[in-house]
Amino acid sequence: MFSNIPKADDDIYVLSQWGDRLDLLAHQFYGDTTLWWYIARANNLFTINIPTNMQLRIPGSTKYARGE
């Protein structure tokens, strides 16, 4: 099981826009759509779809996605 994702100074905060999905954000910030679950976990979400105008934390590092 992966550990919680601690907040860090290099985290990015975004406000979701119409049409945003976690896989698209994962591609934008990490270059890897399969890391959508990592953004979901950081924000206590359970689906790839997100509502408009939701503040999301994008972890600045994928270190914890790799189990390090």
Side-chain angles (χ1 to χ4, degrees), residues 12 14 24-32 39 58-59:
I12 300 165
V14 298
L24 299 175
L25 292 173
H27 180 265
Q28 178 182 345
F29 290 99
Y30 305 133
D32 185 347
I39 299 171
I58 311 294

Side-chain angles (χ1 to χ4, degrees), residues 14-22 24-25 28 49-56:
V14 298
L15 194 59
S16 64
Q17 299 178 6
W18 186 88
D20 278 348
R21 294 189 329 239
L22 293 181
L24 299 175
L25 292 173
Q28 178 182 345
N49 296 309
I50 49 177
T52 303
N53 293 324
M54 179 178 188
Q55 182 177 351
L56 297 168

Side-chain angles (χ1 to χ4, degrees), residues 36-54:
W36 72 268
W37 66 268
Y38 188 60
I39 299 171
R41 176 165 298 198
N43 291 280
N44 297 315
L45 299 172
F46 300 97
T47 179
I48 203 166
N49 296 309
I50 49 177
T52 303
N53 293 324
M54 179 178 188

